[in-house]
Structure formats: structure tokens, C-alpha cells
Amino acid sequence: MSFTMVFTFVVTPLVIVMGLLIALSVNAIYERLKGIVIFFSLLPFVITPLIGALVLFWMIDSRGILGNLLQFMAGDPNLSLKASTGLMWMSLIVYGVWHAAPFAFVIFYAGLQTIPQDQMEAAQIDGANRLQRLRYVIIPYLMPLVTFVALIQLMDNFRVFEPIVGFNAGAHATSLSWAIFNDLGGETRQLSSAAATSVMTIIGVAILLTPVLIRTWRDFKVKT
């Protein structure tokens, strides 16, 4: 199974779950603390992807804080995240969730502010606890946003590039953007291959967008 497929099927649901959990947590905390919590929650998304990847890359180095910690916990001074394909994939997945979850958080947090309070009050009157209100009121109300976040994340997975460069993981993981970069560089300069991969990427994104665009058009026609 290719890295892009693993990255897509693992990162996308994790981003949605983490973004929703962060949004629910921020929405429930004390009002005066929300500003600073939102600020720190958005930092991974604000940081340039390449810079963020480089920072985490040096943290997982054998001389970095995370690399040393893993070596200590495993009892193996020769353990290296950079030498193992599986561990490198895990590192890239962790980075992908860390970088993309704040975007999902912003979308879900905005959606939480628009939930009709009468529905929440009616659920409370009917005896629904927090988990039941989350399952039967909040999540159904946020489902269009969940679809939107999933679609954006799927499109982003087609162009994963900065993490592979930042982690120097070209020997362990590849993506469409990385393939295009390799075809355009080096001595061979396979321009035809790069062009074909670019067209495939555009077609893939168009296929992902088509159902959403059709549904949006139908909703617009119904409203008009």
C-alpha cells in the first residue's frame, strides 16, 4: 500500500476527530481563557509547513528531545525514526494531524456557535446527557462541515510535499507532488512524466469535487 493511501485513510479521520474534540473543549472552557487557548491551538496551522516539518524532524533526530526519549523508553541507543520506513510513516502521519487539526478546529468551532440553542435546551429537557446531545444534536448539525473538512483534507493529501522534504523522507515515502518534483529535477528531467502526473492530480481533485459541486448546485436550485 502506498504512503499516499495510508496517509489519506489515517490522517483524514484523525484530523476530523481531533478538530472536533478541540472545538468542543474550547467551546466548554471559561470565556476569558478561550482567546489564549485558541491562539495556541492555531499555531500549528499558522506555522509554515516546511518550518514545522523541519522542527519536528530535528526533534525526532537521535540527538533531539523526542529521539532521545524514544531511545530511552525502548532501551535501544541505536533506535532511529529516520532509518525505519514504518517509523518514518508514523512521524509523517503525526505531523499531518498536528498541522491540519487546527483547520478542522476552526471550522467546527464556528459551526458550534451557530447551533440553535432551542434544540440544545429541548434535548436537555428531554433528559439527554452530554454524550447524547453530542450524538443526536451536535454531530448531525455539523455533518455538512465534516464533509467539507474531509474533502479539503483529501485534496491536501494529493499534494503532500513539504513534510517529505522537511523530514528528508524521499527514500521512505512519496506523493504525487514529490513525484512531479523528482521528474522535473535531476539529470533526466522527465517532463512528460511530470506533466502526466500533474494532469492526474487535477483529474483526481476534480473527481473529489464533483459530488459536492453537484449537491451544492441542487441545493441552490431548490432554494431559488
Side-chain angles (χ1 to χ4, degrees), residues 24 119-120 122-141:
L24 292 171
Q119 294 185 14
M120 297 294 292
Q124 283 183 296
I125 294 173
D126 290 340
N129 57 34
R130 289 186 177 180
L131 287 178
Q132 290 173 329
R133 294 198 299 270
L134 174 64
R135 179 180 178 182
Y136 296 108
V137 179
I138 296 176
I139 292 181
Y141 185 83

Side-chain angles (χ1 to χ4, degrees), residues 41-121:
S41 299
L42 291 177
L43 275 180
F45 186 67
V46 174
I47 296 175
T48 304
L50 182 58
I51 301 301
L54 286 172
V55 170
L56 188 56
F57 174 77
W58 287 112
M59 290 177 68
I60 67 174
D61 186 77
S62 58
R63 296 166 293 178
I65 182 172
L66 294 181
N68 272 318
L69 178 62
L70 289 173
Q71 289 178 348
F72 174 77
M73 294 176 61
D76 183 4
N78 297 318
L79 178 65
S80 174
L81 291 174
K82 302 176 182 179
S84 169
T85 298
L87 293 176
M88 181 58 71
W89 282 24
M90 290 179 59
S91 300
L92 290 169
I93 288 171
V94 169
Y95 170 79
V97 175
W98 174 81
H99 177 70
F103 171 76
F105 152 65
V106 171
I107 300 299
F108 292 142
Y109 183 74
L112 288 174
Q113 310 312 306
T114 64
I115 294 180
Q117 291 303 310
D118 56 345
Q119 294 185 14
M120 297 294 292
E121 293 172 0

